[in-house]
Amino acid sequence: MNKIEILQADITTLEVDAIVNAANGSLCGGGGVDGAIHRAAGKDLLAQCRTLGGCDTGFAKITPGYHLPAKFIIHAVGPVWYGGAKNEEQLLASCYRESLRIAAEHQLTSIAFPAISCGAYRFPIPRACEIAYGEVQKFLQSQSSIKKVIFACFDAKLENALLLASRKV
Ligand code: APR
């Protein structure tokens, strides 16, 4: 059974162990998927995030999911795209690796990702999808509790880019 699923979905509706948030370093909310997750999770999420002391780019921190159907939220801070000469690719890859590592550390079995850095942070979508799919595929080859990874694409453009990437890597 394929452990990786690519589908069009609003990630805040997914009933999985953890959804990943495309957050910023403050972890105190924003627009895009960050805004949607904070709105759906409720105000206790922001209160909890304020105790975390922020997060560096390429890393992630976990909180409960509060009013979301997901049990946990893993807040990953993706890189802003500055043209590719500022380690953006390695930092994006690290977001996926760190999110999966934290999920496995908590013995979670299912996790859903949005397209980290592909919105306000302007990372080129085709390359971001290759990095995302490649890192997930690599992680799933190792032993861990993770049995299902969902890529929750907010639109068909992203879904197609991920499907293309899945055939390349
Ligand atoms: N479900 C799934 N995907 C979503 C949702 C949603 N509800 N809402 C938006 N997206 C998609 C966007 O279409 C995009 O493909 O998530 C992807 C990431 O876009 P952003 O949310 O803009 O995130 P990012 O590019 O990583 O920028 C992060 O934006 O919202 C602020 O606080 C956030 O400063 C941080 C920055």
Side-chain angles (χ1 to χ4, degrees):
M1 175 251 304
N2 193 355
K3 293 184 175 179
I4 300 178
E5 225 178 302
I6 297 168
L7 48 91
Q8 275 192 57
D10 170 346
I11 202 166
T12 64
T13 66
L14 298 180
E15 193 165 345
V16 287
D17 285 346
I19 61 169
V20 176
N21 181 19
N24 59 57
S26 75
L27 296 185
C28 287
V33 69
D34 195 6
I37 287 174
H38 274 269
R39 277 193 300 280
K43 61 180 180 13
D44 293 344
L45 173 59
L46 182 56
Q48 173 65 12
C49 285
R50 286 202 168 112
T51 69
L52 299 179
C55 183
D56 289 339
T57 301
F59 292 92
K61 289 189 179 177
I62 191 167
T63 68
Y66 297 103
H67 296 304
L68 284 167
K71 296 189 187 83
F72 294 94
I73 307 163
I74 295 174
H75 305 263
V77 180
V80 177
W81 179 258
Y82 288 113
K86 288 181 178 283
N87 215 22
E88 295 98 323
E89 295 204 354
Q90 291 76 2
L91 287 167
L92 184 64
S94 173
C95 283
Y96 286 92
R97 268 198 313 274
E98 282 297 298
S99 299
L100 289 160
R101 181 185 63 75
I102 293 168
E105 228 170 57
H106 287 72
Q107 294 304 312
L108 305 185
T109 59
S110 57
I111 180 171
F113 284 99
I116 300 170
S117 288
C118 289
Y121 283 2
R122 303 186 322 283
F123 204 109
I125 289 176
R127 186 68 191 116
C129 290
E130 286 168 12
I131 292 168
Y133 199 90
E135 286 304 323
V136 166
Q137 202 170 47
K138 212 184 308 174
F139 187 91
L140 289 176
Q141 280 153 12
S142 66
Q143 280 307 316
S144 88
S145 59
I146 311 269
K147 299 294 172 252
K148 173 64 82 178
V149 178
I150 295 172
F151 284 105
C153 306
F154 212 38
D155 53 43
K157 179 181 166 213
L158 205 64
E159 185 186 20
N160 295 331
L162 259 167
L163 286 167
L164 212 59
S166 69
R167 293 188 201 109
K168 265 191 180 172
V169 293

Short mmCIF file of all heavy atoms in Angstrom, two decimals, residues 72-127:
data_model
loop_
_atom_site.label_atom_id
_atom_site.label_comp_id
_atom_site.label_asym_id
_atom_site.label_seq_id
_atom_site.Cartn_x
_atom_site.Cartn_y
_atom_site.Cartn_z
N PHE A 72 -2.10 16.74 16.53
CA PHE A 72 -0.96 17.64 16.76
C PHE A 72 -0.75 18.56 15.56
O PHE A 72 -1.19 18.24 14.44
CB PHE A 72 0.33 16.83 16.97
CG PHE A 72 0.33 15.99 18.23
CD1 PHE A 72 -0.06 14.66 18.19
CD2 PHE A 72 0.71 16.55 19.45
CE1 PHE A 72 -0.08 13.88 19.34
CE2 PHE A 72 0.70 15.79 20.61
CZ PHE A 72 0.31 14.45 20.56
N ILE A 73 -0.03 19.65 15.78
CA ILE A 73 0.44 20.53 14.70
C ILE A 73 1.96 20.59 14.83
O ILE A 73 2.49 20.80 15.93
CB ILE A 73 -0.11 21.96 14.83
CG1 ILE A 73 -1.63 21.97 14.96
CG2 ILE A 73 0.33 22.82 13.62
CD1 ILE A 73 -2.19 23.30 15.50
N ILE A 74 2.63 20.37 13.71
CA ILE A 74 4.10 20.53 13.71
C ILE A 74 4.39 21.80 12.92
O ILE A 74 4.11 21.88 11.72
CB ILE A 74 4.79 19.29 13.09
CG1 ILE A 74 4.53 18.06 13.99
CG2 ILE A 74 6.29 19.53 12.94
CD1 ILE A 74 5.03 16.75 13.43
N HIS A 75 4.87 22.82 13.61
CA HIS A 75 5.10 24.14 12.99
C HIS A 75 6.51 24.17 12.41
O HIS A 75 7.48 24.19 13.17
CB HIS A 75 4.95 25.25 14.04
CG HIS A 75 3.62 25.20 14.76
ND1 HIS A 75 2.54 25.98 14.40
CD2 HIS A 75 3.20 24.42 15.80
CE1 HIS A 75 1.52 25.71 15.21
NE2 HIS A 75 1.88 24.76 16.05
N ALA A 76 6.59 24.15 11.08
CA ALA A 76 7.90 24.17 10.41
C ALA A 76 8.12 25.56 9.83
O ALA A 76 7.18 26.18 9.31
CB ALA A 76 7.94 23.12 9.31
N VAL A 77 9.36 26.05 9.93
CA VAL A 77 9.66 27.38 9.38
C VAL A 77 10.48 27.21 8.10
O VAL A 77 11.65 26.82 8.14
CB VAL A 77 10.44 28.23 10.41
CG1 VAL A 77 10.75 29.62 9.83
CG2 VAL A 77 9.64 28.36 11.70
N GLY A 78 9.81 27.46 6.98
CA GLY A 78 10.47 27.30 5.68
C GLY A 78 11.32 28.51 5.32
O GLY A 78 11.18 29.57 5.94
N PRO A 79 12.20 28.36 4.34
CA PRO A 79 13.04 29.48 3.89
C PRO A 79 12.27 30.40 2.95
O PRO A 79 11.41 29.95 2.19
CB PRO A 79 14.17 28.77 3.14
CG PRO A 79 13.53 27.55 2.59
CD PRO A 79 12.51 27.12 3.61
N VAL A 80 12.59 31.68 3.00
CA VAL A 80 12.12 32.62 1.98
C VAL A 80 13.03 32.39 0.76
O VAL A 80 14.24 32.19 0.91
CB VAL A 80 12.24 34.07 2.47
CG1 VAL A 80 11.83 35.05 1.37
CG2 VAL A 80 11.38 34.29 3.72
N TRP A 81 12.46 32.39 -0.45
CA TRP A 81 13.26 32.20 -1.66
C TRP A 81 13.95 33.51 -2.03
O TRP A 81 13.29 34.52 -2.29
CB TRP A 81 12.38 31.74 -2.82
CG TRP A 81 13.15 31.54 -4.10
CD1 TRP A 81 13.19 32.39 -5.17
CD2 TRP A 81 13.99 30.44 -4.43
NE1 TRP A 81 13.99 31.87 -6.14
CE2 TRP A 81 14.51 30.68 -5.74
CE3 TRP A 81 14.36 29.26 -3.76
CZ2 TRP A 81 15.37 29.79 -6.37
CZ3 TRP A 81 15.22 28.38 -4.39
CH2 TRP A 81 15.71 28.64 -5.68
N TYR A 82 15.29 33.52 -2.02
CA TYR A 82 16.04 34.72 -2.42
C TYR A 82 16.81 34.45 -3.71
O TYR A 82 17.82 35.07 -3.98
CB TYR A 82 17.03 35.11 -1.31
CG TYR A 82 16.37 35.69 -0.08
CD1 TYR A 82 16.39 34.98 1.12
CD2 TYR A 82 15.70 36.91 -0.12
CE1 TYR A 82 15.78 35.49 2.26
CE2 TYR A 82 15.10 37.43 1.01
CZ TYR A 82 15.13 36.72 2.20
OH TYR A 82 14.52 37.23 3.32
N GLY A 83 16.40 33.43 -4.47
CA GLY A 83 17.11 33.17 -5.73
C GLY A 83 17.91 31.90 -5.72
O GLY A 83 18.42 31.45 -6.75
N GLY A 84 18.05 31.26 -4.56
CA GLY A 84 18.68 29.94 -4.52
C GLY A 84 20.11 29.91 -4.03
O GLY A 84 20.70 28.84 -3.89
N ALA A 85 20.69 31.07 -3.73
CA ALA A 85 22.09 31.06 -3.29
C ALA A 85 22.23 31.22 -1.78
O ALA A 85 23.32 31.47 -1.28
CB ALA A 85 22.84 32.19 -4.00
N LYS A 86 21.13 31.11 -1.08
CA LYS A 86 21.18 31.27 0.38
C LYS A 86 20.74 30.00 1.09
O LYS A 86 20.00 30.02 2.07
CB LYS A 86 20.30 32.44 0.80
CG LYS A 86 20.88 33.83 0.43
CD LYS A 86 19.95 34.94 0.92
CE LYS A 86 20.51 36.31 0.63
NZ LYS A 86 21.60 36.73 1.55
N ASN A 87 21.19 28.85 0.52
CA ASN A 87 20.92 27.57 1.19
C ASN A 87 19.44 27.22 1.27
O ASN A 87 19.03 26.41 2.10
CB ASN A 87 21.50 27.65 2.63
CG ASN A 87 22.06 26.30 3.08
OD1 ASN A 87 22.39 25.46 2.24
ND2 ASN A 87 22.12 26.10 4.37
N GLU A 88 18.62 27.88 0.42
CA GLU A 88 17.16 27.67 0.51
C GLU A 88 16.78 26.19 0.31
O GLU A 88 15.92 25.67 1.00
CB GLU A 88 16.43 28.51 -0.53
CG GLU A 88 16.53 30.03 -0.34
CD GLU A 88 17.60 30.64 -1.22
OE1 GLU A 88 18.65 29.98 -1.39
OE2 GLU A 88 17.41 31.76 -1.72
N GLU A 89 17.45 25.52 -0.64
CA GLU A 89 17.04 24.13 -0.91
C GLU A 89 17.30 23.24 0.30
O GLU A 89 16.45 22.44 0.69
CB GLU A 89 17.76 23.60 -2.16
CG GLU A 89 17.37 24.35 -3.42
CD GLU A 89 17.59 23.52 -4.69
OE1 GLU A 89 18.15 22.41 -4.60
OE2 GLU A 89 17.17 23.99 -5.76
N GLN A 90 18.48 23.42 0.92
CA GLN A 90 18.81 22.58 2.08
C GLN A 90 17.88 22.91 3.25
O GLN A 90 17.47 22.03 4.00
CB GLN A 90 20.27 22.81 2.52
CG GLN A 90 21.31 22.28 1.52
CD GLN A 90 21.49 23.17 0.29
OE1 GLN A 90 20.86 24.23 0.16
NE2 GLN A 90 22.30 22.75 -0.64
N LEU A 91 17.52 24.18 3.39
CA LEU A 91 16.65 24.56 4.50
C LEU A 91 15.24 24.00 4.30
O LEU A 91 14.59 23.54 5.25
CB LEU A 91 16.61 26.09 4.65
CG LEU A 91 17.89 26.70 5.23
CD1 LEU A 91 17.90 28.22 5.03
CD2 LEU A 91 18.04 26.35 6.70
N LEU A 92 14.77 23.99 3.06
CA LEU A 92 13.44 23.42 2.81
C LEU A 92 13.46 21.91 3.07
O LEU A 92 12.57 21.37 3.73
CB LEU A 92 12.99 23.70 1.38
CG LEU A 92 11.58 23.22 1.05
CD1 LEU A 92 10.53 23.96 1.88
CD2 LEU A 92 11.27 23.38 -0.43
N ALA A 93 14.50 21.25 2.60
CA ALA A 93 14.62 19.80 2.83
C ALA A 93 14.63 19.51 4.34
O ALA A 93 13.96 18.59 4.82
CB ALA A 93 15.90 19.27 2.19
N SER A 94 15.31 20.37 5.08
CA SER A 94 15.39 20.20 6.52
C SER A 94 14.01 20.32 7.19
O SER A 94 13.70 19.61 8.13
CB SER A 94 16.36 21.24 7.11
OG SER A 94 16.33 21.20 8.51
N CYS A 95 13.16 21.20 6.66
CA CYS A 95 11.80 21.34 7.23
C CYS A 95 11.06 20.01 7.16
O CYS A 95 10.40 19.60 8.12
CB CYS A 95 11.00 22.38 6.44
SG CYS A 95 11.43 24.06 6.81
N TYR A 96 11.16 19.33 6.02
CA TYR A 96 10.46 18.04 5.87
C TYR A 96 11.09 16.98 6.77
O TYR A 96 10.40 16.24 7.48
CB TYR A 96 10.46 17.61 4.39
CG TYR A 96 9.48 18.44 3.58
CD1 TYR A 96 9.90 19.59 2.93
CD2 TYR A 96 8.13 18.09 3.51
CE1 TYR A 96 9.00 20.38 2.23
CE2 TYR A 96 7.23 18.87 2.80
CZ TYR A 96 7.66 20.02 2.16
OH TYR A 96 6.76 20.81 1.48
N ARG A 97 12.42 16.92 6.77
CA ARG A 97 13.13 15.93 7.62
C ARG A 97 12.81 16.14 9.08
O ARG A 97 12.45 15.20 9.80
CB ARG A 97 14.64 16.05 7.41
CG ARG A 97 15.22 15.16 6.34
CD ARG A 97 16.74 15.01 6.50
NE ARG A 97 17.42 16.29 6.71
CZ ARG A 97 17.82 17.09 5.73
NH1 ARG A 97 17.57 16.77 4.49
NH2 ARG A 97 18.43 18.22 5.99
N GLU A 98 12.90 17.39 9.54
CA GLU A 98 12.67 17.69 10.96
C GLU A 98 11.22 17.40 11.36
O GLU A 98 10.96 16.85 12.43
CB GLU A 98 12.99 19.16 11.25
CG GLU A 98 14.48 19.45 11.37
CD GLU A 98 15.10 18.70 12.56
OE1 GLU A 98 14.70 18.97 13.70
OE2 GLU A 98 15.95 17.82 12.32
N SER A 99 10.28 17.72 10.49
CA SER A 99 8.86 17.46 10.80
C SER A 99 8.62 15.95 10.94
O SER A 99 7.95 15.50 11.87
CB SER A 99 7.97 18.03 9.70
OG SER A 99 8.14 19.43 9.59
N LEU A 100 9.21 15.17 10.03
CA LEU A 100 9.05 13.71 10.08
C LEU A 100 9.75 13.13 11.31
O LEU A 100 9.22 12.26 12.00
CB LEU A 100 9.61 13.09 8.80
CG LEU A 100 8.76 13.35 7.55
CD1 LEU A 100 9.60 13.14 6.29
CD2 LEU A 100 7.53 12.45 7.54
N ARG A 101 10.92 13.69 11.63
CA ARG A 101 11.67 13.21 12.80
C ARG A 101 10.86 13.43 14.07
O ARG A 101 10.70 12.54 14.91
CB ARG A 101 13.01 13.94 12.91
CG ARG A 101 13.89 13.50 14.08
CD ARG A 101 15.14 14.32 14.22
NE ARG A 101 14.85 15.74 14.51
CZ ARG A 101 14.45 16.18 15.73
NH1 ARG A 101 14.28 15.30 16.72
NH2 ARG A 101 14.22 17.47 15.93
N ILE A 102 10.28 14.62 14.21
CA ILE A 102 9.48 14.95 15.40
C ILE A 102 8.23 14.06 15.46
O ILE A 102 7.88 13.52 16.52
CB ILE A 102 9.09 16.44 15.39
CG1 ILE A 102 10.34 17.31 15.59
CG2 ILE A 102 8.03 16.75 16.44
CD1 ILE A 102 10.12 18.79 15.31
N ALA A 103 7.59 13.85 14.31
CA ALA A 103 6.40 12.98 14.28
C ALA A 103 6.77 11.56 14.73
O ALA A 103 6.08 10.96 15.56
CB ALA A 103 5.81 12.96 12.88
N ALA A 104 7.89 11.06 14.23
CA ALA A 104 8.32 9.69 14.59
C ALA A 104 8.70 9.62 16.07
O ALA A 104 8.39 8.66 16.77
CB ALA A 104 9.49 9.27 13.72
N GLU A 105 9.33 10.69 16.56
CA GLU A 105 9.71 10.77 17.99
C GLU A 105 8.46 10.63 18.88
O GLU A 105 8.51 10.09 19.97
CB GLU A 105 10.33 12.14 18.24
CG GLU A 105 11.63 12.19 18.99
CD GLU A 105 12.21 13.61 18.90
OE1 GLU A 105 11.50 14.57 19.31
OE2 GLU A 105 13.33 13.73 18.38
N HIS A 106 7.34 11.16 18.38
CA HIS A 106 6.08 11.08 19.15
C HIS A 106 5.26 9.86 18.77
O HIS A 106 4.07 9.78 19.08
CB HIS A 106 5.27 12.37 18.93
CG HIS A 106 5.83 13.57 19.64
ND1 HIS A 106 6.99 14.20 19.21
CD2 HIS A 106 5.43 14.23 20.75
CE1 HIS A 106 7.26 15.21 20.03
NE2 HIS A 106 6.35 15.24 20.97
N GLN A 107 5.92 8.91 18.05
CA GLN A 107 5.23 7.66 17.66
C GLN A 107 3.97 7.92 16.83
O GLN A 107 3.00 7.16 16.92
CB GLN A 107 4.87 6.85 18.93
CG GLN A 107 6.10 6.35 19.69
CD GLN A 107 7.01 5.50 18.80
OE1 GLN A 107 6.55 4.61 18.10
NE2 GLN A 107 8.29 5.82 18.79
N LEU A 108 3.94 9.00 16.07
CA LEU A 108 2.75 9.28 15.24
C LEU A 108 2.78 8.39 14.01
O LEU A 108 3.85 7.98 13.55
CB LEU A 108 2.72 10.77 14.86
CG LEU A 108 2.80 11.77 16.02
CD1 LEU A 108 2.65 13.19 15.50
CD2 LEU A 108 1.79 11.45 17.11
N THR A 109 1.63 8.10 13.44
CA THR A 109 1.60 7.19 12.26
C THR A 109 1.17 7.91 10.99
O THR A 109 1.46 7.45 9.89
CB THR A 109 0.62 6.01 12.51
OG1 THR A 109 -0.67 6.58 12.74
CG2 THR A 109 1.04 5.18 13.70
N SER A 110 0.49 9.08 11.12
CA SER A 110 0.05 9.77 9.90
C SER A 110 0.34 11.26 10.02
O SER A 110 0.17 11.87 11.09
CB SER A 110 -1.46 9.56 9.70
OG SER A 110 -2.18 10.00 10.84
N ILE A 111 0.78 11.85 8.91
CA ILE A 111 1.17 13.27 8.91
C ILE A 111 0.80 13.88 7.56
O ILE A 111 0.91 13.20 6.53
CB ILE A 111 2.69 13.42 9.20
CG1 ILE A 111 3.13 14.89 9.21
CG2 ILE A 111 3.51 12.62 8.22
CD1 ILE A 111 4.57 15.09 9.70
N ALA A 112 0.31 15.13 7.60
CA ALA A 112 -0.04 15.82 6.35
C ALA A 112 0.79 17.08 6.22
O ALA A 112 0.98 17.81 7.21
CB ALA A 112 -1.52 16.16 6.33
N PHE A 113 1.31 17.32 5.01
CA PHE A 113 2.12 18.52 4.73
C PHE A 113 1.40 19.46 3.78
O PHE A 113 0.81 18.99 2.80
CB PHE A 113 3.43 18.12 4.03
CG PHE A 113 4.47 17.50 4.91
CD1 PHE A 113 4.63 16.12 4.96
CD2 PHE A 113 5.32 18.30 5.67
CE1 PHE A 113 5.61 15.53 5.76
CE2 PHE A 113 6.30 17.73 6.46
CZ PHE A 113 6.45 16.34 6.51
N PRO A 114 1.52 20.80 4.02
CA PRO A 114 1.18 21.74 2.95
C PRO A 114 2.46 21.94 2.14
O PRO A 114 3.51 21.38 2.48
CB PRO A 114 0.84 23.01 3.75
CG PRO A 114 1.81 22.97 4.89
CD PRO A 114 1.99 21.51 5.24
N ALA A 115 2.39 22.76 1.11
CA ALA A 115 3.58 23.04 0.29
C ALA A 115 4.38 24.15 0.97
O ALA A 115 4.23 25.34 0.66
CB ALA A 115 3.17 23.45 -1.11
N ILE A 116 5.22 23.75 1.88
CA ILE A 116 6.00 24.72 2.68
C ILE A 116 6.79 25.66 1.75
O ILE A 116 7.38 25.21 0.77
CB ILE A 116 6.97 23.97 3.62
CG1 ILE A 116 6.21 23.06 4.57
CG2 ILE A 116 7.84 24.97 4.41
CD1 ILE A 116 7.10 22.11 5.38
N SER A 117 6.74 26.94 2.04
CA SER A 117 7.47 28.00 1.34
C SER A 117 6.98 28.31 -0.07
O SER A 117 7.54 29.17 -0.74
CB SER A 117 8.99 27.70 1.25
OG SER A 117 9.58 27.85 2.53
N CYS A 118 5.92 27.61 -0.51
CA CYS A 118 5.44 27.80 -1.90
C CYS A 118 4.43 28.92 -2.07
O CYS A 118 3.93 29.14 -3.18
CB CYS A 118 4.83 26.50 -2.42
SG CYS A 118 6.06 25.24 -2.71
N GLY A 119 4.14 29.65 -1.00
CA GLY A 119 3.19 30.77 -1.11
C GLY A 119 3.91 32.08 -0.91
O GLY A 119 4.70 32.51 -1.75
N ALA A 120 3.67 32.69 0.24
CA ALA A 120 4.28 34.01 0.53
C ALA A 120 5.80 33.97 0.42
O ALA A 120 6.43 34.95 0.08
CB ALA A 120 3.88 34.45 1.94
N TYR A 121 6.39 32.79 0.68
CA TYR A 121 7.86 32.70 0.66
C TYR A 121 8.43 32.46 -0.74
O TYR A 121 9.63 32.33 -0.91
CB TYR A 121 8.36 31.65 1.67
CG TYR A 121 8.33 32.12 3.12
CD1 TYR A 121 7.84 33.40 3.45
CD2 TYR A 121 8.77 31.32 4.15
CE1 TYR A 121 7.81 33.82 4.76
CE2 TYR A 121 8.76 31.73 5.48
CZ TYR A 121 8.27 32.99 5.77
OH TYR A 121 8.24 33.42 7.09
N ARG A 122 7.57 32.33 -1.72
CA ARG A 122 7.90 32.36 -3.15
C ARG A 122 8.91 31.32 -3.65
O ARG A 122 9.59 31.54 -4.66
CB ARG A 122 8.42 33.77 -3.52
CG ARG A 122 7.46 34.91 -3.22
CD ARG A 122 7.97 36.26 -3.73
NE ARG A 122 9.41 36.42 -3.57
CZ ARG A 122 10.02 36.72 -2.41
NH1 ARG A 122 9.30 36.88 -1.32
NH2 ARG A 122 11.33 36.81 -2.31
N PHE A 123 9.00 30.19 -2.96
CA PHE A 123 9.91 29.14 -3.43
C PHE A 123 9.35 28.58 -4.73
O PHE A 123 8.15 28.33 -4.82
CB PHE A 123 9.99 28.02 -2.39
CG PHE A 123 11.26 27.20 -2.45
CD1 PHE A 123 12.22 27.29 -1.46
CD2 PHE A 123 11.49 26.32 -3.51
CE1 PHE A 123 13.39 26.52 -1.51
CE2 PHE A 123 12.65 25.57 -3.58
CZ PHE A 123 13.60 25.65 -2.57
N PRO A 124 10.17 28.39 -5.78
CA PRO A 124 9.66 27.85 -7.06
C PRO A 124 9.00 26.49 -6.83
O PRO A 124 9.64 25.58 -6.27
CB PRO A 124 10.91 27.72 -7.92
CG PRO A 124 11.91 28.66 -7.33
CD PRO A 124 11.62 28.71 -5.85
N ILE A 125 7.75 26.35 -7.26
CA ILE A 125 6.95 25.17 -6.94
C ILE A 125 7.53 23.86 -7.47
O ILE A 125 7.66 22.88 -6.70
CB ILE A 125 5.49 25.38 -7.40
CG1 ILE A 125 4.82 26.42 -6.47
CG2 ILE A 125 4.71 24.06 -7.38
CD1 ILE A 125 3.41 26.81 -6.86
N PRO A 126 7.97 23.77 -8.75
CA PRO A 126 8.47 22.47 -9.21
C PRO A 126 9.63 21.95 -8.37
O PRO A 126 9.64 20.80 -7.95
CB PRO A 126 8.90 22.76 -10.66
CG PRO A 126 8.08 23.95 -11.06
CD PRO A 126 7.94 24.79 -9.81
N ARG A 127 10.58 22.82 -8.06
CA ARG A 127 11.76 22.41 -7.29
C ARG A 127 11.36 22.08 -5.84
O ARG A 127 11.82 21.09 -5.27
CB ARG A 127 12.83 23.51 -7.31
CG ARG A 127 14.15 23.10 -6.66
CD ARG A 127 14.87 22.01 -7.47
NE ARG A 127 15.97 21.46 -6.67
CZ ARG A 127 16.04 20.19 -6.26
NH1 ARG A 127 15.08 19.33 -6.57
NH2 ARG A 127 17.04 19.76 -5.51
#
